[in-house]
Amino acid sequence: MMVSCTNPLVGTWVQPSTSYTQEQGFVLYKDGSAEDVNIDFVTFKSWEKKDDMLILKGENTGSIKGQFTDTLIIEKVTDNELTLSQSGYSVKYKKKN
């Protein structure tokens, strides 16, 4: 049996849709690039993991245009669940197969 040594963060991570929002999140690629999933006015470009932090970089495409860097604390990561927090606010994502 082969053991995979891939980064558990690589993949498509989404928050489930609600009656008010569609499914949204991001895709983290093995090469360090990233893209958004159904997020208006944001385009993710790249990502990196540093210690227990996920650093997402991208561009705002709405009325306030410009580059941004989001630094999020990785509270939990498993094969199918990711919890990120920022400023005391936690968000849970599920991995999409």
Side-chain angles (χ1 to χ4, degrees), residues 1-14 28 74 76-83 93-97:
M1 183 173 103
M2 263 182 84
V3 176
S4 172
C5 59
T6 59
N7 189 323
L9 290 172
V10 170
T12 301
W13 296 97
V14 294
L28 304 178
I74 301 167
K76 177 182 181 182
V77 62
T78 66
D79 287 343
N80 57 11
E81 199 174 306
L82 175 64
T83 304
Y93 295 90
K94 295 281 184 200
K95 189 172 245 181
K96 220 176 150 171
N97 296 329

Side-chain angles (χ1 to χ4, degrees), residues 47-60:
W47 71 280
E48 66 178 291
K49 180 184 183 295
K50 191 171 185 177
D51 300 321
D52 65 345
M53 294 177 293
L54 173 64
I55 301 166
L56 275 172
K57 295 181 180 179
E59 198 174 325
N60 286 317

Side-chain angles (χ1 to χ4, degrees), residues 15 73 75 82-93:
Q15 294 174 278
I73 297 168
E75 290 186 352
L82 175 64
T83 304
L84 300 173
S85 69
Q86 187 178 46
S87 306
Y89 179 72
S90 292
V91 180
K92 292 184 183 199
Y93 295 90

Side-chain angles (χ1 to χ4, degrees), residues 5-63:
C5 59
T6 59
N7 189 323
L9 290 172
V10 170
T12 301
W13 296 97
V14 294
Q15 294 174 278
S17 58
T18 67
S19 54
Y20 302 105
T21 62
Q22 60 188 339
E23 179 181 85
Q24 61 183 24
F26 46 85
V27 185
L28 304 178
Y29 294 102
K30 195 187 290 190
D31 67 359
S33 62
E35 75 180 90
D36 58 284
V37 175
N38 298 326
I39 301 177
D40 294 335
F41 311 117
V42 169
T43 303
F44 290 124
K45 302 281 188 189
S46 65
W47 71 280
E48 66 178 291
K49 180 184 183 295
K50 191 171 185 177
D51 300 321
D52 65 345
M53 294 177 293
L54 173 64
I55 301 166
L56 275 172
K57 295 181 180 179
E59 198 174 325
N60 286 317
T61 56
S63 57

